[in-house]
Amino acid sequence: MDSARILLFIGLAMHASLLASGNQYKVVCYHSNWSRYRPSPGTFTEANIDPFLCTHLIYAFGVFDDNGNITPHELDWEFPRYVAFNEVKLQNPNLKTLLAIGGWNFGSIAFSNMANDPVKRKNFVDTSISILRDYNFDGLDLDWEYPVQRGGAAIDKDNFVTLCKELMIAYTAEADSSGKTRLLLTAAVPASRANIQAGYDVPELNNYLDFFNLMTYDFHGGWDSTTGHNSPLYASPYDSGDYAHFNVNDTAAYWHEVGVPKNKIIVGLATYGRSFTLSSTSNFGVNAPASTGPAGTQTREAGFMSYYEICNDMQTGGSVMFDDTMQVPYYVNGNVWVGYDDENSLRIKANMIADYQYGGMMIWAIALDDFNHICSTSTRTFPLIKAASEVLNPTGAAPSVDPVVPGDPTAAPTTTTTTTTTTAPATGSSNTGFCANRVDGFYANPGSCESFYNCYEGQTYLTNCPSGTLFDESTNSCDWEISVKCNTPLIRK
């Protein structure tokens, strides 16, 4: 048995052992407080939250004043939503809720000033405990974007550690004195190596944070002059220099390399895409000349589209392409180009998380999935989150786990050949009838070794094997090309 096959079976055994022990991968979902102001059908309030969708639910965002006192965001002043948010735990007592402080729009300067002042830090710590306990939160999520950057100071790197240390000491003491479960302390952290190196003393932070939420998205967008994917699993051949690290796989591996245990690494998954306007409709691939794309009709931000806006737009036409190197799809309709994730690509990413035994997945954001089931390609509400979650925490619903990719998922792809294949607009049941009257499971695609059929309750799901691998009928898994006898022509050859 070769080393790749050994690693495959070890990974499967570890995953099975984890599930058998009753432990769960974390499914950490952010709820944005501004989503309730979107026009219908994008309006999302606490009433739209599925209490059983996630293991951890984070309210974004709270803020703090010039003295470090935590306060509700201005969007929450008129009607504080914290009570309604935490009432979801009445239906699911196992759900953990956290309050996120900060965010991109809040900036870095206020954090820098607060963290550099012992009095303001104490105010921040004290008010965090009172607000979290008063409103029945289970913890705090720090969204400082980012220490040292965006007007911050060099001392931020040390001060962020100090802030986390003082918070953890206070939370531990409060739990000891009250007899309550200690409040959780987490942080949303960047994907850029430059930001990580500049602002994060990772080994020290690891002493005080319960887990790290990796913001592994926004790798490319309208700020670039060419098309690029929002959240590629692996690097594109067009990525060079620092951009070669702008992908989910590399970022997760790097956070582990610099000091975070795998079980504390929560890998970020996006339920939205970044849109571009192509300079020419005749050049529509990855790295094509482009500028910022259109806004979604509900999310109303240039170059940004929720999944429900993307899949709804697909109903008007266009083509979906799947990039076998990056392992993600993109959508082209006229001069509009969108790099996004669908059910298939999120299952692939979830398998990477399981294979490498990271702590779980983080979702930005629940209000951007097809929560209203407005798309004809969706078979249920929250299709993206559920597809990925079922890979990590199977509950007996749909067995949506793709075959595990052999070998170390943090290694670089074994081929640099760019392959683009046209697939259905979104992963879901096809009309081929292949799985009719077949037992649930994985089956070879007679037309191509590069994909396979996943049959469940008579429904047919066509899925591509990751780049460099082919479907092996003898093991019902995707294995390295050299190990598989294939009798069909290979498109990517």
Side-chain angles (χ1 to χ4, degrees), residues 85-391:
F85 177 76
N86 282 301
E87 282 179 347
V88 298
K89 291 194 289 186
L90 295 176
Q91 299 176 66
N92 180 10
N94 294 322
L95 179 66
K96 301 297 183 184
T97 60
L98 295 88
L99 175 62
I101 303 295
W104 179 261
N105 289 334
F106 188 66
S108 179
I109 295 175
F111 269 108
S112 181
N113 293 336
M114 178 271 292
N116 196 45
D117 187 317
V119 175
K120 294 179 181 179
R121 283 201 311 270
K122 187 176 188 306
N123 290 340
F124 183 90
V125 172
D126 292 345
T127 56
S128 74
I129 293 175
S130 60
I131 286 179
L132 295 177
R133 290 305 192 192
D134 287 348
Y135 289 100
N136 195 30
F137 285 99
D138 298 292
L140 187 75
D141 182 61
L142 296 170
D143 280 46
W144 182 349
E145 301 185 25
Y146 304 102
V148 182
Q149 308 299 310
R150 306 181 66 209
I155 195 66
D156 291 349
K157 186 172 186 176
D158 294 330
N159 286 341
F160 189 40
V161 172
T162 301
L163 175 64
C164 292
K165 179 178 181 179
E166 291 177 356
L167 282 164
M168 183 55 72
I169 290 173
Y171 288 0
T172 302
E174 188 269 345
D176 289 343
S177 63
S178 67
K180 300 177 181 178
T181 302
R182 176 179 61 76
L183 294 167
L184 296 170
L185 181 62
T186 67
V189 295
S192 164
R193 289 192 176 199
N195 285 340
I196 297 168
Q197 293 164 2
Y200 297 82
D201 184 340
V202 180
E204 284 298 312
L205 288 173
N206 181 56
N207 292 324
Y208 310 114
L209 294 176
D210 288 298
F211 52 86
F212 296 69
N213 296 313
L214 277 55
M215 293 185 280
T216 37
Y217 34 73
D218 291 340
F219 287 110
H220 297 282
W223 50 88
D224 297 322
S225 59
T226 57
T227 58
H229 201 276
N230 177 49
S231 184
L233 179 55
Y234 300 113
S236 163
Y238 299 106
D239 293 329
S240 60
D242 290 341
Y243 286 100
H245 303 299
F246 278 27
N247 60 82
V248 175
N249 176 73
D250 190 280
T251 299
Y254 184 71
W255 274 99
H256 177 56
E257 177 186 326
V258 295
V260 181
K262 293 178 188 176
N263 66 345
K264 284 190 177 185
I265 293 175
I266 312 301
V267 179
L269 306 180
T271 53
Y272 68 94
R274 288 289 178 180
S275 67
F276 296 80
T277 299
L278 294 167
S279 299
S280 170
T281 56
S282 63
N283 186 358
F284 54 85
V286 178
N287 204 45
S291 56
T292 303
T297 54
Q298 281 78 43
T299 52
R300 299 173 293 182
E301 177 185 337
F304 182 99
M305 296 179 71
S306 67
Y307 177 69
Y308 62 81
E309 290 169 321
I310 298 168
C311 63
N312 192 44
D313 191 66
M314 288 175 182
Q315 296 170 165
T316 69
S319 300
V320 173
M321 315 297 284
F322 188 85
D323 189 284
D324 285 329
T325 302
M326 295 188 292
Q327 289 289 288
V328 283
Y330 59 94
Y331 167 62
V332 183
N333 192 352
N335 67 345
V336 176
W337 193 103
V338 187
Y340 72 107
D341 274 285
D342 61 11
E343 293 180 52
N344 179 49
S345 65
L346 289 186
R347 288 190 185 106
I348 293 171
K349 289 177 179 178
N351 268 302
M352 184 275 287
I353 293 169
D355 293 344
Y356 210 55
Q357 293 292 291
Y358 292 127
M361 69 184 198
M362 176 268 278
I363 297 291
W364 185 273
I366 55 173
L368 300 173
D369 201 349
D370 187 12
F371 67 92
N372 263 335
H373 196 181
I374 67 171
C375 298
S376 61
T377 51
S378 299
T379 60
R380 51 187 173 175
T381 59
F382 301 101
L384 298 189
I385 300 173
K386 288 175 180 176
S389 183
E390 287 165 357
V391 172

Side-chain angles (χ1 to χ4, degrees), residues 307 342-344 347 373 375-380 383 387 398 400 423-436 452-463:
Y307 177 69
D342 61 11
E343 293 180 52
N344 179 49
R347 288 190 185 106
H373 196 181
C375 298
S376 61
T377 51
S378 299
T379 60
R380 51 187 173 175
S400 54
T423 63
T427 299
S429 61
S430 71
N431 296 317
T432 65
F434 178 89
C435 290
F452 60 92
Y453 289 113
N454 180 1
C455 295
Y456 179 68
E457 294 186 348
Q459 296 297 305
T460 305
Y461 299 84
L462 180 63
T463 304

Side-chain angles (χ1 to χ4, degrees), residues 445-451 470-471 485-491 493:
N445 174 8
S448 173
C449 300
E450 296 170 303
S451 60
L470 301 174
F471 188 77
K485 182 179 180 181
C486 179
N487 297 317
T488 64
L490 301 183
I491 297 174
K493 292 295 187 187

